[in-house]
Each structure stands twice: as structure tokens, then as C-alpha cells.
């Protein structure tokens, strides 16, 4: 009897998408759970329609449509921004260990390279991807609706190539980072890279934003159009800008130039896939080996001075977080964003839009982001990093309630500590920001952390997911759990947003900080009220959690 034929590429693609869908739906049973997952997918993708229609209308405005400069500047700028966000999003969202198809589907009859391509194509249809390229999609359709295109099929082909280009280089960034996290000296590499980036950025002159003042005083007509033209030309010469420039070439009937840019998009996409494939194979070769031998520390027994059982558990959780490679990456990301913000003169833009409240918004935003990535990453799947250690907790003569309390305390302190470090870094690196701005930032984080911990406790109980310490693979959180986490973060950030909106452009006052602090106290009380329920549910669902976080 001959074996069944190996499925073709499109069959493999269909099977992989089906498996991804099942992974997203297998956390609940029955029709309501599936309907909730579908509704969550549609709800998380809904902003794409809004952004697409907004930029479609922008490109059809008479001042833009009749200009010889603005349409190309907007298209090329959107191409650059879309590609930049798409490539860096797995890092900024802390999703560095969510793409593990090569090991997950290793027993399947599919080659690794085909698997990489299938996975990259599948990533184009995730909710966040739909939101990412919606503005560019709307702008491109708006531009095509007011300009006659030669060979529209070339525009469609270039659009597809642009999306593949973003997906391929997103994988390059992702696989490069997971290789760093797997390295023996990941902490030194990340820390050294951060300081090297800070040192190099000090030699780069900031972007000139004096034109903002001219716009504010005399309107858009006061802009030096040579600046806009040069920016549009420069953006068209980088690979992502090939798509925006090709639309202009087709509108002027230059099919040959548009086809050359199609070749450029295809070439850089192929290079990105090749580099991503090589990095991924290197990572899995390393992940298959035994982990690096750990050096003996000066303190051979970190638990020698813990006098109580709770302090022992607390020390264990703190050490696990300190040694986690993913936590090391997350501590560096907010500082990198702050350096980029200064390098691109982003603060000047915020000052133009927000007035004296700009520093409060920026300092608070960076601090809140630092707390979110630390708290959400670990608190929303708090038992995943225990693995077999959770089984030891069940067998030990102790209460699981102490384990959850210790985890909440360590994760909360880590989030607050990260926010404090980022706030101080902003104050001394930028040289701006008042004491009231700093108090508002810290109060906003104090309001956020209890909400994230409370939501994380229940998400950890109902959506436990296995995590492999080697980063070789991890079962992905279902979409419902991810969206609930986003809702919790939004609720935690509401006091900060509302208070600064009330403050307006005149800047926050001590009353603004007091308002945010009052909300933080209210959230802390709600967290304390919900904690006993979470502890009771933990005792009831202990076996379910154990099976989920220890299964292979």
C-alpha cells in the first residue's frame, strides 16, 4: 500500500491556518465560546476599517488630490511607518516567543522552509496586521480613485509584495532577538547594545522641527515645500517606499519603472526570508542542545537568609524573574523608545500638539508602557514559568495562596520599579519634566498595576498556557485572553488619560496628581476585594492548571 501523497503548498497553508484557528478556540467548548472568539477577532480588527476610511478620504481631499507633492509624501511616509511598526511590533508587544511553528509542527510532512513561508503568510491575516496596513490600504485606494493607473495589476502585485516584505523582515527581527535571548550572555548583549545605541545616538544631530513653529504661526502655506519634496524622495528610495513610488510611476504611465520597483520589492522580500530562515534554524539548533552551564554565584544558597516560608517563595519568584531572558529584553525596550523619541525630536511634536502637558504625557506613557510589558507578560500567565515547579508546590506542605500572593508582589514591584527607572531616565535624559509630571506618571502606574494583577490572576486560572524556558516553543494565548488583557490595561490607564485631558494644554497640577492617586487607591481596594475569590478558584482549578503548564 503506497503512502498518501504529500500535501501541496496551498493545502499546507490551509491546514496551518486551521490549526492556528483551533489553537485560538480550544480554550473553551461549545458554540458560545467559538462565537466569543470570532466576535473578539472582529472587534480587534474593527479599527482597520476606521483607519482605512480616514486615509481614503484624506487622499481625496481637493488640496491633497490636486497637489503634486502631498500624495507622494503621504504614501511614502505611510509605507515607511507601516513597515517600521510591523517589523518592530513583535518586540514592542513582547511577543518574542509566540512564533514557534518550526518545532511545533516538526513531525508534520512539511519542509522547514515551506513552513516558514506558510507561517509568514498566515501572519498577514492576524488582527494586528489588518490594523497595521489599513491606513496605507485606504491611502492607496484613495490615490487610485483620483488618478488613472496604467496596468492596475502591477499596483496590486506591488501591494502584495510590500505586505510580504514587512512579514519577512518582521521575522528577521523576531528571530534575531530570540537568538540573543538564547545566548549565554544575553544580559550582557542586551545591556551592551543599549549603551552602544545610547552612545551612538548622542553623535547624531536631532531632526530639525523648527517648521512646526512656522506652521503654528502662518499655517501650512508657510512650509518650505523643498523639505517635503526631499523627504518624499528619500522615503521612496528605501525598500518599503518602493510601493508608494510605484503608484506614482503608474499614475504617470511609467510601467517600466514600476516593474523595476516590483523586482526590488521581491528581491528584498527574498533576502528577508533567507535571513529569517537561517536565524530560525540557528536558534532551533541551539535550543535543542543542553542549556549553558551557569556560573556559581558568590552566594551559593540565596535562600540561606530567608527566615519564613513566604520570604523563601518570594525570593524564588524574584530570582526567576531576574534570570528570565524575556524580562531582560523587556527592560531595555522602553529606554530604546525614549532614545528614538529624542533622536527624532518627537518631544517637539508633542509640545506642539499638547503644550505644557507634553512631558506628563510622554513620561507617563513610557512609564505605563514599561509597567504594562512587565506586568502583563508575567501576570497574565503567571504559572507558565513554573512548569514542573508548580507540581512541587502542590506536593509541598504549603498553601497555594502564598504562591499567588508572592507572584503578585514580585510582579507588581517589578512593574513599579521599571516605571520608576523609566521616569527618572526621561527626566535626566531629556532634561524636561516637572515634579508634578513625575508624580502623575508614578500615580498612573500605581493605578495600572492593581488592575493588571487582578486581571492576570483570573486569566492565569482560566487560560493557563505552557511555556518552555528554552524559548523553543510556547502555546499561544487564545485571542479571547489576549483581548481581555488589553481591556484590563485600558481600564488601568483610564485615570491617567482622563486626568490629563482635563488638564488640557496648560499642564497638570497637584490636583491632577491627586485625582490619579485617588483612582489608584480605589483600584487597590478592588484588587484586595477580588483576591480572595482568585485564591479560592486557584485551589479549585489546581489540577487543570497543572495539566496545562506541564504538558508537552
Amino acid at each position: 500500500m503506497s503512502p498518501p501523497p504529500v500535501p501541496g503548498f496551498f493545502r499546507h497553508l490551509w491546514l496551518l491556518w486551521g490549526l492556528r484557528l483551533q489553537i485560538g478556540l480550544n480554550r473553551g467548548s461549545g458554540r458560545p465560546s467559538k462565537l466569543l472568539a470570532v466576535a473578539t477577532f472582529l472587534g480587534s480588527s474593527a479599527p482597520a476599517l476606521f483607519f482605512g476610511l480616514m486615509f481614503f478620504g484624506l487622499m481625496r481631499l481637493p488640496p491633497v488630490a490636486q497637489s503634486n507633492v502631498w500624495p507622494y509624501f503621504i504614501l511614502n511616509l505611510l509605507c515607511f511607518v507601516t513597515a517600521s511598526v510591523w517589523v518592530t511590533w513583535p518586540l514592542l508587544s513582547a511577543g518574542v516567543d509566540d512564533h514557534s511553528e518550526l518545532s511545533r509542527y516538526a513531525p508534520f510532512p512539511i519542509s522547514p522552509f515551506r513552513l516558514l513561508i506558510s507561517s509568514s503568510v498566515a501572519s498577514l491575516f492576524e488582527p494586528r496586521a489588518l490594523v497595521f496596513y489599513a491606513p496605507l490600504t485606504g491611502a492607496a485606494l484613495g490615490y487610485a480613485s483620483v488618478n488613472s493607473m496604467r496596468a492596475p495589476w502591477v499596483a496590486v502585485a506591488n501591494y502584495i509584495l510590500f505586505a510580504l516584505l514587512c512579514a519577512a523582515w518582521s521575522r528577521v527581527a523576531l528571530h534575531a532577538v530570540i537568538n540573543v535571548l538564547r545566548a549565554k550572555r544575553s544580559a550582557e548583549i542586551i545591556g551592551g547594545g543599549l549603551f552602544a545605541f545610547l552612545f551612538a545616538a548622542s553623535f547624531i544631530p536631532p531632526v530639525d522641527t523648527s517648521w512646526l513653529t512656522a506652521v503654528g504661526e502662518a499655517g501650512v502655506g508657510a512650509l518650505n515645500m523643498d523639505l517635503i519634496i526631499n523627504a518624499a524622495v528619500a522615503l521612496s528610495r528605501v525598500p518599503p517606499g518602493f510601493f508608494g513610488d510605484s503608484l506614482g510611476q503608474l499614475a504617470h504611465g511609467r510601467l517600466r519603472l514600476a516593474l523595476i520597483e516590483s523586482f526590488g520589492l521581491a528581491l528584498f522580500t527574498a533576502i528577508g526570508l533567507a535571513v529569517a530562515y537561517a536565524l530560525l534554524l540557528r536558534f532551533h539548533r541551539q535550543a535543542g542542545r543542553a542549556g549553558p552551564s551557569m556560573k556559581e554565584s558568590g552566594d551559593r544558597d540565596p535562600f540561606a537568609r530567608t527566615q519564613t516560608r513566604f520570604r523563601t517563595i518570594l525570593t524564588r519568584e524574584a530570582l526567576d524573574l531576574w534570570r528570565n531572558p524575556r524580562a531582560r529584553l523587556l527592560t531595555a525596550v522602553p529606554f530604546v523608545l525614549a532614545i528614538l523619541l529624542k533622536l527624532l525630536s518627537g518631544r517637539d511634536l508633542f509640545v506642539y500638539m499638547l503644550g505644557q502637558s507634553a512631558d506628563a504625557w510622554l513620561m507617563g506613557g513610557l512609564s505605563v508602557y514599561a509597567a504594562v510589558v512587565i506586568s502583563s507578560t508575567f501576570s497574565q500567565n503567571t504559572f507558565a514559568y513554573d512548569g514542573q515547579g508548580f507540581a512541587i508546590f502542590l506536593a509541598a506542605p504549603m498553601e497555594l495562596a502564598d504562591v499567588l500572593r508572592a507572584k503578585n508582589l514580585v510582579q507588581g514591584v517589578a512593574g513599579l520599579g521599571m516605571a520608576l527607572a523609566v521616569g527618572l531616565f526621561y527626566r535626566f535624559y531629556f532634561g524636561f519634566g516637572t515634579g508634578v509630571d513625575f508624580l502623575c506618571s508614578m500615580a498612573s502606574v500605581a493605578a495600572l498595576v492593581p488592575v493588571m494583577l487582578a486581571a492576570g490572576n483570573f486569566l492565569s486560572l482560566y487560560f493557563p498556557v505552557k511555556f518552555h524556558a528554552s524559548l523553543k516553543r510556547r502555546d499561544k494565548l487564545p485571542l479571547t485572553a489576549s483581548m481581555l488583557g488589553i481591556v484590563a490595561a485600558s481600564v488601568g490607564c483610564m485615570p491617567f488619560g482622563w486626568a490629563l485631558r482635563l488638564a488640557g494644554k496648560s499642564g497638570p497640577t497637584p490636583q491632577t496628581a491627586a485625582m490619579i492617586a485617588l483612582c489608584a487607591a480605589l483600584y487597590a481596594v478592588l484588587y484586595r476585594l477580588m483576591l480572595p475569590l482568585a485564591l479560592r478558584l486557584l485551589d479549585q482549578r489546581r489540577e487543570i492548571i497543572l495539566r496545562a503548564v506541564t504538558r508537552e
Side-chain angles (χ1 to χ4, degrees):
M1 182 178 180
S2 60
V6 177
F9 172 74
F10 292 104
R11 179 60 177 169
H12 269 146
L13 196 64
W14 178 260
L15 292 173
L16 288 173
W17 286 355
L19 283 172
R20 282 192 166 206
L21 181 62
Q22 290 301 318
I23 291 172
L25 299 179
N26 67 356
R27 300 303 177 187
S29 59
R31 184 178 181 85
S33 177
K34 294 184 177 181
L35 290 177
L36 177 62
V38 173
T40 305
F41 178 89
L42 295 177
S44 59
S45 305
L49 181 62
F50 169 76
F51 288 128
L53 292 175
M54 182 177 68
F55 280 91
F56 179 83
L58 174 64
M59 298 299 287
R60 291 177 61 88
L61 287 176
V64 175
Q66 297 171 9
S67 172
N68 293 324
V69 177
W70 284 109
Y72 310 109
F73 174 74
I74 294 174
L75 283 172
N76 293 338
L77 180 62
L78 284 176
C79 287
F80 179 77
V81 172
T82 302
S84 300
V85 173
W86 208 333
V87 170
T88 57
W89 182 255
L91 311 182
L92 301 182
S93 64
V96 295
D97 57 359
D98 288 343
H99 301 274
S100 53
E101 283 82 357
L102 189 57
S103 57
R104 181 191 298 277
Y105 304 133
F108 287 28
I110 182 173
S111 66
F113 188 70
R114 178 179 287 191
L115 182 59
L116 173 65
I117 295 177
S118 302
S119 175
S120 300
V121 173
S123 69
L124 299 178
F125 298 94
E126 295 176 353
R128 59 175 175 263
L130 297 177
V131 176
F132 290 161
Y133 56 73
L136 179 60
T137 303
L141 292 175
Y143 180 78
S145 67
V146 296
N147 292 276
S148 178
M149 290 278 184
R150 182 182 178 186
W153 61 270
V154 177
V156 175
N158 286 353
Y159 178 82
I160 296 173
L161 288 172
F162 171 81
L164 293 175
L165 174 76
C166 295
W169 285 97
S170 176
R171 287 298 192 272
V172 172
L174 177 69
H175 298 161
V177 170
I178 61 177
N179 273 283
V180 170
L181 294 182
R182 181 60 183 171
K184 294 181 180 180
R185 297 185 176 273
S186 62
E188 290 87 342
I189 295 174
I190 294 173
L194 177 61
F195 282 107
F197 181 51
L198 179 61
F199 179 75
S202 64
F203 291 97
I204 302 175
V207 177
D208 182 17
T209 56
S210 59
W211 56 273
L212 285 173
T213 306
V215 172
E217 295 176 352
V220 178
L223 277 175
N224 182 0
M225 293 307 295
D226 290 340
L227 177 66
I228 303 300
I229 294 172
N230 292 335
V233 172
L235 291 171
S236 69
R237 291 176 178 174
V238 295
F242 292 172
F243 169 65
D245 190 66
S246 68
L247 293 180
Q249 302 296 349
L250 291 174
H252 289 87
R254 302 164 185 162
L255 179 59
R256 178 175 171 272
L257 293 177
L259 291 175
I260 291 176
E261 288 175 319
S262 301
F263 175 77
L265 287 169
L267 176 62
F268 282 101
T269 300
I271 293 174
L273 286 174
V275 175
Y277 180 64
L279 290 172
L280 188 59
L281 288 182
R282 182 180 185 277
F283 167 72
H284 281 290
R285 284 196 300 268
Q286 291 180 340
R289 303 170 185 168
S293 58
M294 301 298 294
K295 294 183 179 179
E296 292 186 0
S297 61
D299 186 359
R300 294 176 180 272
D301 184 7
F303 305 102
R305 290 187 290 270
T306 56
Q307 299 176 355
T308 64
R309 183 170 54 194
F310 182 75
R311 288 185 62 183
T312 302
I313 301 172
L314 202 64
T315 303
R316 176 189 181 276
E317 294 299 330
L319 288 173
D320 282 351
L321 186 62
W322 175 258
R323 294 169 178 170
N324 190 279
R326 196 179 186 196
R328 296 170 182 172
L329 173 70
L330 296 179
T331 56
V333 172
F335 298 98
V336 173
L337 290 177
I339 296 170
L340 286 174
L341 189 67
K342 185 175 182 180
L343 187 63
L344 300 176
S345 299
R347 180 185 174 276
D348 294 338
L349 179 61
F350 280 93
V351 170
Y352 172 74
M353 295 188 300
L354 303 172
Q356 297 181 18
S357 298
D359 290 305
W361 278 106
L362 287 173
M363 186 186 297
L366 289 172
S367 299
V368 164
Y369 172 76
V372 165
V373 295
I374 288 292
S375 299
S376 65
T377 301
F378 297 97
S379 65
Q380 293 182 10
N381 193 21
T382 195
F383 302 108
Y385 299 88
D386 281 330
Q388 299 297 331
F390 188 71
I392 299 175
F393 284 142
L394 293 181
M398 58 181 295
E399 295 182 1
L400 282 179
D402 289 340
V403 177
L404 188 59
R405 290 192 186 98
K407 288 177 177 293
N408 281 186
L409 182 58
V410 170
Q411 293 157 5
V413 170
L416 291 170
M418 271 295 300
L420 178 63
V422 171
L424 293 175
F425 178 79
Y426 180 92
R427 177 63 186 85
F428 290 104
Y429 182 60
F430 282 84
F432 294 97
T434 64
V436 175
D437 295 335
F438 184 78
L439 289 177
C440 289
S441 302
M442 295 304 104
S444 66
V445 176
L448 171 73
V449 168
V451 178
M452 298 298 292
L453 293 178
N457 288 340
F458 290 98
L459 290 174
S460 301
L461 295 174
Y462 285 96
F463 302 96
V465 170
K466 170 66 178 179
F467 174 83
H468 292 252
S470 66
L471 298 179
K472 187 176 181 181
R473 60 171 289 188
R474 188 189 77 168
D475 293 340
K476 297 180 68 174
L477 283 172
L479 184 60
T480 304
S482 299
M483 295 307 302
L484 289 174
I486 293 174
V487 170
S490 302
V491 173
C493 295
M494 281 182 182
F496 176 66
W498 286 341
L500 287 189
R501 285 183 180 179
L502 291 176
K505 292 187 176 182
S506 59
T509 62
Q511 289 75 18
T512 306
M515 183 187 307
I516 302 174
L518 182 62
C519 293
L522 176 61
Y523 282 159
V525 171
L526 292 176
Y527 163 76
R528 291 293 301 172
L529 293 176
M530 297 176 66
L531 184 60
L533 175 60
L535 297 177
R536 287 197 300 270
L537 290 173
L538 172 60
D539 192 63
Q540 296 172 8
R541 300 180 60 83
R542 53 197 297 171
E543 298 297 333
I544 298 174
I545 297 171
L546 178 64
R547 288 196 301 268
V549 301
T550 58
R551 69 185 181 91
E552 294 296 335

